[in-house]
Amino acid sequence: MNAVRLLEYGGQLVFNDVPTPTIARDEILVKIKSTAVNHLDLVEASGTLRQILAIDLPWIPGHEFSGVVEQIGSDVAGWAPGAAVFGTSEKGAYAEYLAAKPAAIARKPANLSFEEAASVPVAAQTAWEGLFTHGHLEKGQTILIHGGAGAVGAYAVQLASHAGATVIATASRGDEAYLNSIGASRVIDYREAQFEKALREKVDVVFDLIGGDTQKRSFLVLKKGGHLVAATQPVSPEETARHGVSGAMMRLAPSADMLGRIARLLEEGTIRPDVATVYALQDAAEAWKDIAGNLPGVHGMSPSGPDGPRPARRRAHGKIVLRVA
Ligand SMILES: NC(=O)c1ccc[n+]([C@@H]2O[C@H](COP(=O)([O-])OP(=O)(O)OC[C@H]3O[C@@H](n4cnc5c(N)ncnc54)[C@H](OP(=O)(O)O)[C@@H]3O)[C@@H](O)[C@H]2O)c1
């Protein structure tokens, strides 16, 4: 099969022929239609965090996909060849075939294209877990979402709004109308205003998709007993104790059940996906260049630092998708 691979840390992506994976008894062979690019792919490939994000070289990147079930392992129940699916995988999805675990896939929403479906699993499940598993968000509460116009943030805004919360988001000024259209009641321009000064009332939950100084200042806007959920860097236990809040850095733990619930919300039109750009699989290196300048505090690795000066948005909302077949 054709696949994109990284041969050495920090090296170029190469597109060539590799053996098609064989499946274990508890796996499903998926013929991939589309996959999506995540910041994590680039961080893993750089090798900068290899102590905690180790990869086996040569390595096929890609943590999410959409496709069609091709073959079923003998221990797998509930799936049949031909089913359209989407999901996450520990194994690389920048390829024509993938051996996937049933515990991390769900039926593709019928109203979504394969390109749209591939853009959903990581961002939407990160948002879901951030809000509900770690943030314990409830109807009637107020949440502040940092980076609300990004891929994860847009799902967080939609899911929080659907759950009956009041949603405040930080973003660039140009994203205000977009964020209002998906459920934010207030948008604070992070380039122009300090959110802790702009906010009159404290919030129940902060979902921090930025880190750095943004995270530090977030303690000032949380109610006592509130929750700070971070997606990019650990939360200081000293600061959480000092402010009487809980704080945790989340790491996505995908599940078929959660993805299935997200699929239903997508199918009924309650939430929607956004695809910024579609590249062909063999142009993955171009897609990486597209995202590389837009890494807001990926575990503190942004070239300009998490809150440093950044160029204005260069691309449309949503994920960068790679079309495989
Ligand atoms: N822990 C986990 O399990 C997990 C899972 C998925 C993702 N993540 C991480 O979550 C982060 C967000 O991912 P993503 O895919 O949503 O990124 P993304 O699509 O690139 O979005 C980032 C957004 O943040 C905005 N932004 C940048 N600096 C900001 C600031 N200081 N204040 C407010 N907004 C700011 C950007 O706006 P402009 O472009 O207008 O500046 C952009 O809209 C990444 O660091 C990613 O690695 C973690």
Side-chain angles (χ1 to χ4, degrees), residues 2 47 50 73 80 103 124 140 151 164 172 215 232-235 260 298:
N2 285 317
R50 69 184 78 172
S172 291
Q215 185 181 109
T232 68
Q233 65 176 65
V235 181
V298 179

Side-chain angles (χ1 to χ4, degrees), residues 24-36:
R25 287 161 52 164
D26 65 344
E27 289 180 327
I28 292 176
L29 187 67
V30 177
K31 184 167 172 39
I32 297 181
K33 294 276 196 182
S34 286
T35 179

Side-chain angles (χ1 to χ4, degrees), residues 39 122 126 146-147 149-153 170-172 175 190-191 209-210 214 231-232 249-252 294 296-299 306-307 310 313 315:
H39 296 168
V122 169
T126 302
H146 291 307
V152 178
T170 58
S172 291
D175 289 326
Y190 79 87
R191 295 168 193 270
L209 296 160
I210 303 301
T214 298
T232 68
M249 175 171 171
M250 62 163 292
R251 184 158 182 184
L252 174 60
N294 207 36
V298 179
H299 310 282
D307 287 306
R310 293 165 28 76
R313 167 171 288 282
R315 58 183 175 88

Side-chain angles (χ1 to χ4, degrees), residues 253-303:
S255 85
D257 176 58
M258 175 169 46
L259 189 57
R261 291 193 204 193
I262 289 165
R264 282 194 286 283
L265 293 176
L266 288 159
E267 231 159 18
E268 67 194 31
T270 303
I271 60 171
R272 66 164 215 237
D274 272 313
V275 172
T277 321
V278 180
Y279 290 86
L281 179 63
Q282 56 266 39
D283 297 330
E286 282 301 305
W288 279 25
K289 275 190 207 145
D290 198 349
I291 204 174
N294 207 36
L295 292 177
V298 179
H299 310 282
M301 283 187 50
S302 173

Side-chain angles (χ1 to χ4, degrees), residues 166-188:
T166 299
V167 182
I168 303 165
T170 58
S172 291
R173 180 197 299 269
D175 289 326
E176 185 170 359
Y178 167 71
L179 283 164
N180 290 149
S181 78
I182 59 173
S185 53
R186 183 162 177 208
V187 178
I188 300 171

